[in-house]
Amino acid sequence: MTFVQLLFIIFAIPVVRCDHELPRFDGWYNNLERPQWGTVGMDLTSRIPRRDILHSDVHTFRVDPLPMNETRRLISKDRNVLLAYFSQFVEYEISDVSAMACPPELVFWQPCPSCPRVVYTRRLYDTHRSGFLRRHVNVATSFIDGSLIYGTSSTAASLQRSFVSGQMRLNDEGLPLRDRLLVESWYPSCRTGRINEAKDTYSIPSSQVLENPGLVALTTVFLRYHNVKASQLVLDNPRASDEWLFQETRRWVTAVLQNIIAYEWLPTLARAELPPYQHYDPTVDPAVSAEAIIGALQYYRTLVRSVLLSRDPTSKGCDDWESHSDWSRLCNSFHDNSFLQTSADLERLLFGMMTLAAGAEDATLVEDVSASWFGPLVQPRRHFVFWNHLRQLDFGLMSYAEIDDAYKNVSVGAAGHGHLHQRDVRDMGNMGNMGNMSAMSDFFSTALQVNMEERIPPLFTAILMDQFRRIRDGDRFWFERTMSAEDVRKVHRVRLMDVIVNATNLNASILPTTSFGLDSRCAAIGHVDAESCRELDVWDFFSGSEVIFVVSWLVLLLIPIVTIVVAFLCAARRKRMPGVFGRLYKEATIVREADKVKRDFIAQADQGVFLSETTEIKMDPTSHQLKLGGKQLTIDFSERTEWDIVMGMDHAGFLIRNPANYDPVIDCGYDRQRYETILGDMILGGARLVPNSDVVVDGIVFHLSHGTWKNILRTRKSPQDRKKEVETFFRTAFRRIYTDVPLDGGVDDGPDVGQCGIYDSTCTISRRELAKALALEMNSSFVKHLFEVIDADKDGRISLTELVSALVLLSKGTTEEKLKLMFRAFDEDGDQELSYKELVAMLRSLFELTDNGHYLESSDFQALVEEIMGGSESISFSSFLTFFGDMSRPRRRISVDWKGFRDVQARERRHAARQSRRANPISHVMHRIHKFITYAFFREELGLRRIVGYGGAFSRGGAAVISFSFSLQLLSMCRNLFTVLRNTPLHLFIPFDDNVTFHKLISYVGLLFTVIHVVGYAFNLYQLTTQPPEYLCSFPALKFEAGKMPDFTYWLFGVPGITGVLLILVISIIYVFASTPARRVHYRAFWMTHKLYVPLYVLVLLHGSLNILQEPFFWLFFVGPCIVFVLDKWMSLRRRKVEVEIVEAEPLPSQVIRLSFKRPQSFTYKSGQWMRLACPHLGSYDFHPFTISSAPFESLVSVHIRAVGPWTRAVRLLFSGSSLMVPEMIVDGPFGAGQQLWYEFEVSICVGGGIGVTPYASILKDFVHKINADPESVKCKKLIFIWVTQNQKHFEWLIDIMREVEQQDLQERISINVFITQFYQDFDIRTAMLYVCDRYFHKINNKSVFTGLRGVTNFGRPNFEAIFRDVAREYEPLRCFGVFSCGPPVLTRSVEQACIEASQNSKTSFIHHCENF
């Protein structure tokens, strides 16, 4: 458009105005009463009730559509092929049901054993309508309004217009332009087998027109005709605007098209005429019927010829058509845009269609329509009749008989046959193979077969008459209503032939006198031989993407691995850093090198192979004991009279068969001299090494044999094999105890018990193996005495019979019998009394279990022994029973805790329980069925599931959980917010104390569903890559370049692909460096990589922004937490971090150091809170959290730091030095914790484990200070402190604090209970005896023999539920208790579970606040 033309459009004042209403392009308001009737997207109508037939399994259909093939080569005598193509033009003018349902639903059907499989995609339907029946929609207007010419929207019309003189855009040859693609068409060209690109596709507003050159030619004719009429209007109205010219021309062309279809084409095809037009009837629905689309409007396909003829429209072509004509096979011309290139091509094609005879009106179709009809890339050749039959079932039409009965009273006009009468097709036995027409017969083929005459079936005529009468009478803009009488007469005189003549340069003298006839002076063309139909290959959508697909996923899999390697390298670099960290790791390396030899030796011994060069080997000729590796293994040859030794034939080494243990292998390498020295001199007493001989040494027979070294190593009994034997030994013993099996056998122990029998001499264990079962040292006094008392035959081994006897006593005997066993074990002289020395040995063996050897030399221990002895020199069993008989503290039956085989013991106990349950016939398990409900039961999702596979369920479900969990992670780290909320009533309902645990839990959940999302997307990506583009309608965000097939790179390098790869990288870095090993080795790397949460959330927002599988909803979860997190972060940045000077630094046992600094002026805290510390002297400003261990009233603020990681170890090393220059630290805080709420309960229970006792050091001191200052002001009246520690000597600094607190607690408001877990469980007899000793000492001296505190000392792990119940009974009628725990997650979880159970089983509530480290 030139600048002058633009100025003319803007400033010219049109003098001609429209004096009538203009119809819309989409058909709206053609009926004012029901404006939606006949519009784009309205439902199809039908005279019969429709059913959703395809909802059932299509494979059960056994009704075959009638075979349609060209058995006769008959042609019409009076009709040309133009009638067939114009009939198709009319079909597409009033209907467009080519759109697929979205998501697409695929139906695969093989109509008969010899028929090809049909792939059908269900048609578009109204998804907003309720009900089970589908209502399919027509995406074209039902009116004859030129929608194939102008489109169905103003946008489509504007793209066709030139906006100059009301004309349409055509190229210089008068053909549609190819510069843009108005509609997507994914049908391949049947000539090339490929999708046409945009530059080769005509700009026509309907993809249906692009089906064949005949349709393109007719559409082009009407576009040209529009421009001809517009030019005539310009001459009559030179000052008219472009818009007026366009609308007036459109009005005229639409009227001409209405006239041609209703009064020229319809009578010719249907051989019947519409009744004269009377008036517009607003009660008439113009909707297209399903019967018309399936049957009547398809009748023209019988007229189609197999060739497209281009004939020279001159006298030469008229007289000698064979020499001046070109023809092409129709089946090879579908969607072929190269057929029409010039105006001459158009005229030759039109002339050829008007002079080529149509096919005969019979029940045959040419191959081009039947077996070689066009299709999509997944099936480029289809059978039209089979495909149309599935479309019939999709529309819900059942049988020919039902439709025929519905239209039997439809009038066909004056020129017709009156009323149609139903014909009973069931009595038509002479019609051949008709199929089951009373059920789901093919309507189209059956109607053609019923009609025996060479004319349109009467039923089709009735349908066409009904359809076009409704279209005409229901159109408010029908030309006979809106035009003047003179214009109507002019329109009536225009035929299709006149339109063609006006739009082209064809000479009317050589054209037929009628548009669809053969009555021209040019000879009509009958038979034409053409080429064969090309075979088209099914498109492989994944072709060319195989390598990049595999490589891409391998790269993604390598990202976490590479991240782990990088983390390892960072840790290694950390170790080589100079300064404090360098010295720290250098010291650790020295320790590791010192232990290397020991580790190598242990590794060799674990394999049972002793290298003669590095292993200490000694032989005692007197006792005949061979000692290997010092204390690793001792073989007493005197235990047996016969031994087997296997010598290596090809290696200097030998094996000793040891039935009572594993078979040791002495490997001398290739040193034969050393080999002979060890075996011949040391073991065999200088005898010669002769294979297959016997050597007798002091009555002991050694059987010598030989074998290959490989066979020796393969057949030997390794330490692992011996371990399995010992495990079988204990399993057999435990099973006999728990299943009450008699000792004489007689029961099958099951396949997992092995072949260890009661009287099998090989099933014995040594003292070392007994000590391992008890998790003690072999030289332990307790092991020594217990082994001696169990070994009844005194053979130095414990047999299965002896062990079962002891287990029966320890498990089912009375307390007196068990104490009798302990008494006998330490009564060395057997005089039925324990002397002072024997009693001390017993108590020493018990105290050795506690790792409290310093108490054995204390005066308290001596006083305890003297109290038990009662002043006498010995103690009898009766006195012993009197003292230790009161072991009522343990909650379970007294026994022995077999730590080494605790899992075996528990497994056998469960096995016994299962055997008991099997005897109960009621115990049967019901079947549980799990399905993907969403994708299995909703039909609308069936197509989407077939496209994306079940990966869609994983990826969409994973994305939902990721959105929720990643957003919650922000809230879980709002430290300042939680500090404030802990002082509100919300803390009663929301566990703010578990924010870190919650953060980790949500992180694990997010990681799990990230993996699920990635795996699901891997399947999705493959599925999407292998799908035709038209199947991806479910994803409106996907836009493909016209004519170009999307490959794998399209998905990989799009926004979701790039952001997905980056997300995997970021998540891998964050999670790898956040793992416990990485965090301990390189905390700074953890802290820095956690800053990647900002790009993480940005990438997540971008990842779903394209709305592929679903609309992005991550922002719905993210906005709220993000705002809160930003405000919390702003508060942290706003608060000034204080630099403090460390005034006291005291190293303590268990790698703990106490740091103290003067309290800054603005630093106000509560007992139980925590702060963050950074040490710039270590080269970084990384902050680490630590609980405040000082009380608020103290002038110095203290923290206790345990060296468990690089930073904490460096701090301990830094402040443990003798340097006069003490580094400064930066303090951030304080922050709230659940422990700070202890004062809100009248009775508070505090549970601390390990270094988690530090907040209670502050709480205990603060509580004592407050009750001494003003007891009435403190709501908390009782504070119960439970300290769970492996060994109290590790935290002696806390014991000092507790002693100080006990001294200041004059009102005895504090109750301290210590649980030492290094002891065995409370049911163990040794623990019970220690408990009695401690209680007795506590009763005399009012303090524990272990801790020196007034608090009670317990052994083993506490039973929190029982403790809470005791507290509830003691402090009745209180109904609410506060429980606070700090320590390892195992401890806090057990406390949490105990609070839940104690609260459920009573009316008392135990409110738990925890903190993990």
Side-chain angles (χ1 to χ4, degrees):
M1 182 180 297
T2 65
F3 180 72
V4 176
Q5 292 172 333
L6 181 62
L7 293 178
F8 176 80
I9 293 174
I10 297 175
F11 297 104
I13 302 176
V15 297
V16 181
R17 298 180 181 274
C18 293
D19 56 356
H20 50 265
E21 184 181 359
L22 299 176
R24 289 167 56 108
F25 293 96
D26 55 7
W28 276 83
Y29 301 106
N30 280 30
N31 186 324
L32 291 178
E33 295 186 8
R34 294 176 177 85
Q36 74 276 13
W37 274 7
T39 60
V40 174
M42 282 306 295
D43 303 342
L44 300 178
T45 187
S46 178
R47 280 179 172 264
I48 65 173
R50 288 183 285 172
R51 305 166 181 84
D52 193 359
I53 306 171
L54 280 188
H55 180 56
S56 58
D57 192 355
V58 72
H59 297 287
T60 62
F61 297 169
R62 292 294 179 263
V63 180
D64 299 340
L66 297 179
M68 306 291 291
N69 46 49
E70 192 174 8
T71 58
R72 296 174 297 165
R73 298 173 61 85
L74 299 181
I75 59 175
S76 178
K77 300 177 182 178
D78 58 348
R79 299 186 175 190
N80 59 31
V81 79
L82 180 64
L83 176 62
Y85 289 101
F86 190 77
S87 299
Q88 190 175 16
F89 182 89
V90 174
E91 177 195 357
Y92 294 160
E93 169 65 25
I94 64 173
S95 68
D96 185 358
V97 290
S98 62
M100 301 181 304
C102 191
E105 300 182 38
L106 308 181
V107 177
F108 302 92
W109 180 47
Q110 189 168 7
C112 61
S114 60
C115 299
R117 189 181 71 160
V118 181
V119 180
Y120 174 77
T121 309
R122 300 194 68 173
R123 302 294 95 182
L124 181 65
Y125 64 97
D126 189 356
T127 57
H128 300 289
R129 294 287 190 92
S130 60
F132 187 74
L133 179 64
R134 294 191 175 194
R135 299 181 179 274
H136 294 81
V137 298
N138 179 14
V139 296
T141 63
S142 301
F143 305 105
I144 304 173
D145 54 2
S147 58
L148 286 186
I149 307 169
Y150 305 106
T152 57
S153 66
S154 59
T155 302
S158 299
L159 293 174
Q160 291 286 91
R161 294 173 57 182
S162 66
F163 292 97
V164 177
S165 302
Q167 297 201 357
M168 307 297 288
R169 296 174 70 247
L170 298 174
N171 61 17
D172 296 337
E173 293 290 338
L175 299 176
L177 299 178
R178 297 173 184 259
D179 59 343
R180 66 188 71 180
L181 187 63
L182 300 184
V183 291
E184 285 186 347
S185 177
W186 294 107
Y187 290 102
S189 170
C190 290
R191 185 172 300 277
T192 63
R194 299 293 184 265
I195 297 293
N196 294 310
E197 297 184 9
K199 62 184 180 62
D200 298 326
T201 306
Y202 296 114
S203 299
I204 295 177
S206 174
S207 62
Q208 298 185 107
V209 174
L210 302 174
E211 179 181 322
N212 59 67
L215 286 175
V216 176
L218 288 172
T219 305
T220 304
V221 165
F222 279 97
L223 289 172
R224 284 185 167 193
Y225 183 67
H226 175 96
N227 288 350
V228 170
K229 295 303 297 181
S231 300
Q232 295 175 0
L233 282 176
V234 169
L235 296 176
D236 297 336
N237 305 275
R239 300 188 61 186
S241 66
D242 169 72
E243 183 65 25
W244 184 87
L245 290 172
F246 171 77
Q247 295 294 349
E248 283 298 312
T249 307
R250 173 192 168 210
R251 179 168 171 261
W252 174 266
V253 174
T254 301
V256 169
L257 184 61
Q258 291 173 348
N259 174 70
I260 293 173
I261 292 175
Y263 302 122
E264 183 181 10
W265 167 80
L266 185 60
T268 304
L269 181 69
R271 300 184 186 275
E273 297 181 356
L274 288 174
Y277 182 76
Q278 299 296 327
H279 58 82
Y280 159 66
D281 187 355
T283 62
V284 174
D285 185 3
V288 179
S289 66
E291 303 89 78
I293 294 176
I294 297 299
L297 286 175
Q298 305 304 322
Y299 175 68
Y300 69 87
R301 297 187 184 274
T302 64
L303 307 176
V304 173
R305 296 291 299 278
S306 61
V307 296
L308 282 172
L309 180 66
S310 295
R311 187 176 184 181
D312 189 0
T314 62
S315 57
K316 296 180 180 180
C318 189
D319 298 334
D320 185 10
W321 69 271
E322 292 186 357
S323 302
H324 298 83
S325 300
D326 298 319
W327 53 85
S328 177
R329 189 67 184 262
L330 176 62
C331 60
N332 297 331
S333 302
F334 290 124
H335 294 277
D336 181 19
N337 297 326
S338 63
F339 203 88
L340 298 177
Q341 298 292 335
T342 64
S343 178
D345 294 339
L346 174 65
E347 293 169 358
R348 288 167 62 87
L349 179 59
L350 290 172
F351 186 58
M353 288 191 296
M354 287 187 288
T355 57
L356 179 64
E361 298 182 70
D362 54 18
T364 64
L365 297 178
V366 294
E367 180 190 356
D368 308 62
V369 176
S370 58
S372 297
W373 190 49
F374 75 94
L377 289 169
V378 293
Q379 193 176 29
R381 292 295 188 189
R382 293 181 295 183
H383 196 297
F384 170 76
V385 178
F386 292 157
W387 181 85
N388 193 59
H389 180 64
L390 286 177
R391 188 168 63 163
Q392 169 192 333
L393 300 180
D394 191 11
F395 288 170
L397 303 181
M398 290 292 289
S399 64
Y400 170 87
E402 285 187 338
I403 301 174
D404 191 25
D405 184 66
Y407 281 89
K408 66 181 180 179
N409 295 322
V410 175
S411 174
V412 296
H417 305 279
H419 296 285
L420 293 178
H421 300 283
Q422 181 182 17
R423 303 174 65 181
D424 190 359
V425 298
R426 292 170 293 181
D427 298 334
M428 301 177 66
N430 59 344
M431 297 302 297
N433 182 19
M434 296 296 295
N436 186 7
M437 293 186 298
S438 62
M440 287 179 285
S441 59
D442 183 59
F443 168 49
F444 174 65
S445 56
T446 303
L448 294 179
Q449 289 288 338
V450 169
N451 178 46
M452 300 304 296
E453 304 174 1
E454 291 188 4
R455 53 165 295 156
I456 187 172
L459 177 57
F460 284 178
T461 301
I463 293 174
L464 290 174
M465 290 298 104
D466 171 73
Q467 180 65 68
F468 285 95
R469 182 193 61 80
R470 290 187 291 105
I471 290 177
R472 183 191 66 177
D473 296 348
D475 187 359
R476 186 165 64 94
F477 293 103
W478 187 259
F479 76 99
E480 291 175 291
R481 179 178 183 270
T482 58
M483 284 187 168
S484 63
E486 179 62 25
D487 288 342
V488 170
R489 285 192 295 271
K490 291 180 181 180
V491 171
H492 277 310
R493 289 195 294 268
V494 179
R495 301 169 303 163
L496 178 61
M497 186 66 62
D498 300 325
V499 173
I500 294 175
V501 170
N502 280 275
T504 63
N505 295 323
L506 292 174
N507 189 354
S509 61
I510 63 174
L511 299 180
T513 57
T514 59
S515 301
F516 306 113
L518 293 173
D519 51 345
S520 68
R521 73 177 184 86
C522 293
I525 302 175
H527 298 291
V528 178
D529 294 327
E531 59 185 333
S532 301
C533 293
R534 292 187 178 92
E535 291 293 333
L536 300 178
D537 296 329
V538 176
W539 183 266
D540 185 2
F541 295 92
F542 197 64
S543 178
S545 300
E546 297 88 347
V547 175
I548 190 173
F549 183 85
V550 174
V551 171
S552 300
W553 286 110
L554 286 178
V555 170
L556 291 182
L557 290 176
L558 287 174
I559 287 178
I561 299 175
V562 172
T563 308
I564 294 174
V565 173
V566 171
F568 177 81
L569 295 177
C570 290
R573 179 179 178 274
R574 182 77 165 181
K575 297 174 184 179
R576 294 193 298 269
M577 289 179 60
V580 176
F581 286 107
R583 296 199 309 270
L584 175 67
Y585 282 105
K586 186 175 181 180
E587 292 178 2
T589 303
I590 294 174
V591 175
R592 287 195 300 269
E593 290 296 333
D595 294 339
K596 186 176 186 304
V597 176
K598 180 179 179 181
R599 292 200 308 271
D600 292 341
F601 171 75
I602 293 175
Q604 297 165 7
D606 288 342
Q607 297 298 321
V609 179
F610 299 91
L611 302 178
S612 60
E613 294 86 354
T614 58
T615 305
E616 181 184 0
I617 302 177
K618 293 183 179 181
M619 180 68 183
D620 188 352
T622 304
S623 62
H624 298 288
Q625 289 184 347
L626 177 66
K627 295 184 179 182
L628 301 174
K631 300 180 180 180
Q632 280 294 321
L633 179 63
T634 299
I635 301 177
D636 189 356
F637 290 112
S638 62
E639 292 180 352
R640 301 171 58 87
T641 59
E642 295 184 2
W643 291 83
D644 292 332
I645 297 178
V646 183
M647 301 180 296
M649 298 171 53
D650 52 351
H651 195 83
F654 61 93
L655 174 144
I656 303 175
R657 299 288 185 192
N658 187 7
N661 209 319
Y662 63 87
D663 299 337
V665 175
I666 290 84
D667 184 4
C668 299
Y670 295 96
D671 190 349
R672 301 290 301 183
Q673 182 178 358
R674 184 167 177 77
Y675 161 74
E676 294 176 356
T677 301
I678 296 175
L679 179 57
D681 298 340
M682 295 177 62
I683 299 178
L684 300 180
R688 294 181 59 190
L689 303 180
V690 180
N692 302 321
S693 62
D694 295 338
V695 177
V696 180
V697 180
D698 295 337
I700 303 172
V701 181
F702 293 93
H703 302 286
L704 302 182
S705 61
H706 68 283
T708 63
W709 189 251
K710 181 178 180 181
N711 190 55
I712 289 175
L713 296 179
R714 183 177 59 84
T715 59
R716 72 190 179 96
K717 180 169 61 176
S718 66
Q720 289 76 16
D721 297 331
R722 178 58 185 174
K723 181 180 179 182
K724 292 180 181 179
E725 284 186 358
V726 175
E727 184 177 341
T728 301
F729 181 87
F730 278 94
R731 187 184 299 120
T732 305
F734 289 138
R735 180 167 296 186
R736 294 185 182 277
I737 292 300
Y738 295 129
T739 55
D740 295 327
V741 178
L743 295 183
D744 58 353
V747 66
D748 183 13
D749 293 313
D752 59 334
V753 173
Q755 305 299 325
C756 193
I758 289 292
Y759 302 105
D760 189 349
S761 60
T762 62
C763 286
T764 60
I765 60 173
S766 63
R767 193 173 80 181
R768 179 185 297 276
E769 291 165 336
L770 176 67
K772 187 175 181 180
L774 294 171
L776 293 173
E777 294 293 334
M778 185 184 71
N779 295 326
S780 170
S781 176
F782 180 81
V783 172
K784 177 183 176 182
H785 288 85
L786 181 63
F787 183 85
E788 291 177 354
V789 76
I790 296 178
D791 184 15
D793 56 5
K794 306 302 179 181
D795 62 349
R797 309 279 299 181
I798 295 179
S799 65
L800 185 61
T801 304
E802 294 170 340
L803 179 64
V804 171
S805 301
L807 288 177
V808 170
L809 177 62
L810 291 172
S811 299
K812 301 181 179 181
T814 63
T815 302
E816 181 178 350
E817 292 173 336
K818 296 169 187 177
L819 288 175
K820 183 67 173 179
L821 178 66
M822 291 292 296
F823 189 88
R824 287 173 42 212
F826 288 90
D827 185 12
E828 297 180 357
D829 53 8
D831 60 354
Q832 303 300 318
E833 289 185 349
L834 291 180
S835 64
Y836 181 89
K837 179 180 178 181
E838 293 171 337
L839 180 61
V840 169
M842 174 187 288
L843 295 181
R844 282 182 178 275
S845 68
L846 298 180
F847 276 85
E848 284 175 356
L849 306 178
T850 69
D851 197 17
N852 274 312
H854 59 288
Y855 281 111
L856 300 178
E857 307 300 333
S858 64
S859 58
D860 293 339
F861 178 76
Q862 300 297 329
L864 175 63
V865 175
E866 293 175 358
E867 289 292 340
I868 297 176
M869 296 294 295
S872 62
E873 296 181 355
S874 63
I875 180 174
S876 64
F877 176 71
S878 58
S879 302
F880 181 83
L881 179 63
T882 302
F883 184 85
F884 288 103
D886 184 17
M887 296 190 295
S888 60
R889 175 64 179 177
R891 304 297 179 182
R892 287 175 282 178
R893 184 178 298 174
I894 299 298
S895 181
V896 171
D897 186 9
W898 300 89
K899 279 188 175 183
F901 288 93
R902 193 177 291 171
D903 55 339
V904 175
Q905 188 177 13
R907 187 162 59 246
E908 292 308 318
R909 188 181 291 112
R910 290 193 298 268
H911 173 76
R914 283 196 302 270
Q915 294 292 343
S916 174
R917 288 195 297 270
R918 286 176 185 172
N920 186 1
I922 303 177
S923 59
H924 296 285
V925 181
M926 302 292 290
H927 290 289
R928 298 180 180 179
I929 302 174
H930 301 280
K931 294 182 178 179
F932 286 97
I933 297 177
T934 303
Y935 293 97
F937 293 105
F938 292 99
R939 290 169 18 201
E940 290 76 5
E941 302 292 344
L942 181 61
L944 181 61
R945 177 166 56 83
R946 285 189 175 181
I947 290 176
V948 300
Y950 285 101
F954 287 100
S955 59
R956 294 176 73 173
V961 179
I962 289 171
S963 301
F964 182 71
S965 60
F966 278 20
S967 301
L968 280 184
Q969 286 182 1
L970 290 177
L971 285 181
S972 62
M973 288 291 101
C974 296
R975 294 185 294 266
N976 299 286
L977 175 66
F978 292 153
T979 302
V980 176
L981 293 180
R982 280 189 179 93
N983 296 322
T984 66
L986 286 176
H987 78 274
L988 299 175
F989 310 98
I990 302 176
F992 296 114
D993 312 327
D994 297 332
N995 64 314
V996 177
T997 304
F998 182 72
H999 179 79
K1000 293 180 180 179
L1001 176 62
I1002 289 296
S1003 300
Y1004 293 145
V1005 172
L1007 179 61
L1008 171 63
F1009 282 91
T1010 298
V1011 175
I1012 292 175
H1013 179 75
V1014 172
V1015 173
Y1017 191 75
F1019 289 100
N1020 290 349
L1021 196 57
Y1022 176 79
Q1023 291 289 117
L1024 292 174
T1025 308
T1026 56
Q1027 298 300 323
E1030 61 267 27
Y1031 287 1
L1032 305 181
C1033 62
S1034 302
F1035 316 119
L1038 298 179
K1039 302 298 180 184
F1040 307 112
E1041 186 177 351
K1044 296 202 176 168
M1045 299 297 300
D1047 55 7
F1048 179 73
T1049 56
Y1050 172 86
W1051 305 98
L1052 180 62
F1053 296 107
V1055 173
I1058 294 296
T1059 56
V1061 172
L1062 293 177
L1063 277 172
I1064 293 176
L1065 177 61
V1066 172
I1067 291 174
S1068 299
I1069 294 174
I1070 292 177
Y1071 277 86
V1072 167
F1073 283 93
S1075 61
T1076 302
R1079 197 169 64 247
R1080 287 179 177 176
V1081 174
H1082 204 321
Y1083 187 86
R1084 178 173 174 78
F1086 153 72
W1087 189 254
M1088 296 303 296
T1089 54
H1090 246 57
K1091 302 294 184 182
L1092 292 175
Y1093 69 87
V1094 176
L1096 172 70
Y1097 287 108
V1098 173
L1099 290 172
V1100 172
L1101 288 171
L1102 294 176
H1103 185 64
S1105 60
L1106 285 191
N1107 185 19
I1108 295 182
L1109 281 178
Q1110 58 192 359
E1111 293 185 1
F1113 58 87
F1114 174 70
W1115 65 274
L1116 295 174
F1117 299 94
F1118 176 69
V1119 170
C1122 180
I1123 294 175
V1124 175
F1125 181 78
V1126 170
L1127 292 176
D1128 187 87
K1129 203 70 176 176
W1130 175 77
M1131 291 176 61
S1132 297
L1133 295 175
R1134 182 172 172 267
R1135 182 179 57 250
R1136 185 173 64 89
K1137 298 177 178 59
V1138 183
E1139 187 173 296
V1140 297
E1141 180 182 351
I1142 303 300
V1143 296
E1144 291 183 8
E1146 180 184 2
L1148 300 172
S1150 297
Q1151 298 295 313
V1152 176
I1153 187 171
R1154 180 178 61 85
L1155 300 180
S1156 301
F1157 57 89
K1158 294 182 178 179
R1159 184 194 304 186
Q1161 185 176 2
S1162 59
F1163 194 87
T1164 303
Y1165 66 97
K1166 298 179 180 179
S1167 55
Q1169 290 187 333
W1170 59 281
M1171 61 183 175
R1172 299 195 305 159
L1173 295 177
C1175 185
H1177 186 76
L1178 295 179
S1180 67
Y1181 286 83
D1182 301 335
F1183 283 92
H1184 300 256
F1186 297 100
T1187 305
I1188 303 173
S1189 57
S1190 58
F1193 66 88
E1194 295 179 322
S1195 59
L1196 296 180
V1197 180
S1198 301
V1199 292
H1200 286 73
I1201 300 175
R1202 186 180 181 187
V1204 293
W1207 192 89
T1208 53
R1209 289 172 185 163
V1211 169
R1212 190 175 190 275
L1213 183 63
L1214 180 66
F1215 288 97
S1216 299
S1218 59
S1219 176
L1220 299 177
M1221 183 177 180
V1222 180
E1224 295 181 341
M1225 303 194 75
I1226 300 177
V1227 176
D1228 182 23
F1231 299 100
Q1235 319 299 327
Q1236 71 184 53
L1237 303 176
W1238 62 270
Y1239 58 86
E1240 293 188 359
F1241 300 89
E1242 291 190 41
V1243 176
S1244 294
I1245 305 173
C1246 300
V1247 182
I1251 196 63
V1253 297
T1254 52
Y1256 305 117
S1258 173
I1259 292 174
L1260 291 173
K1261 291 186 287 185
D1262 189 29
F1263 180 63
V1264 171
H1265 175 76
K1266 288 182 177 180
I1267 60 177
N1268 290 335
D1270 188 4
E1272 300 300 327
S1273 63
V1274 183
K1275 181 179 180 180
C1276 183
K1277 305 302 181 184
K1278 186 69 175 181
L1279 184 64
I1280 302 173
F1281 177 50
I1282 300 175
W1283 181 23
V1284 183
T1285 180
Q1286 183 180 11
N1287 193 318
Q1288 76 281 0
K1289 74 172 185 177
H1290 292 167
F1291 299 95
E1292 292 181 352
W1293 57 270
L1294 182 63
I1295 294 180
D1296 295 336
I1297 294 177
M1298 289 191 292
R1299 289 197 187 102
E1300 180 182 352
V1301 167
E1302 284 185 341
Q1303 293 175 0
Q1304 297 177 3
D1305 182 21
L1306 303 178
Q1307 304 179 29
E1308 297 187 356
R1309 296 279 192 94
I1310 297 177
S1311 175
I1312 299 177
N1313 297 267
V1314 181
F1315 285 83
I1316 304 176
T1317 60
Q1318 191 176 14
F1319 288 109
Y1320 288 75
Q1321 295 297 318
D1322 56 359
F1323 63 84
D1324 191 277
I1325 187 171
R1326 295 158 292 175
T1327 303
M1329 294 176 68
L1330 283 172
Y1331 176 81
V1332 172
C1333 292
D1334 186 65
R1335 291 298 178 276
Y1336 187 78
F1337 189 82
H1338 193 280
K1339 181 178 180 180
I1340 298 174
N1341 301 294
N1342 194 27
K1343 63 179 181 179
S1344 171
V1345 69
F1346 301 102
T1347 63
L1349 298 173
R1350 294 203 308 261
V1352 179
T1353 301
N1354 302 271
F1355 311 103
R1357 301 188 182 278
N1359 186 342
F1360 289 110
E1361 184 179 356
I1363 294 174
F1364 295 161
R1365 290 174 181 171
D1366 292 342
V1367 171
R1369 284 192 297 266
E1370 183 177 353
Y1371 295 97
E1372 234 177 348
L1374 286 181
R1375 290 291 178 259
C1376 185
F1377 297 88
V1379 180
F1380 306 87
S1381 64
C1382 181
V1386 176
L1387 175 68
T1388 56
R1389 283 197 299 266
S1390 61
V1391 174
E1392 174 71 21
Q1393 186 63 29
C1395 289
I1396 295 174
E1397 294 178 358
S1399 300
Q1400 289 177 347
N1401 299 331
S1402 64
K1403 297 181 180 180
T1404 306
S1405 298
F1406 290 88
I1407 302 176
H1408 183 221
H1409 302 268
C1410 69
E1411 182 179 351
N1412 294 324
F1413 58 82

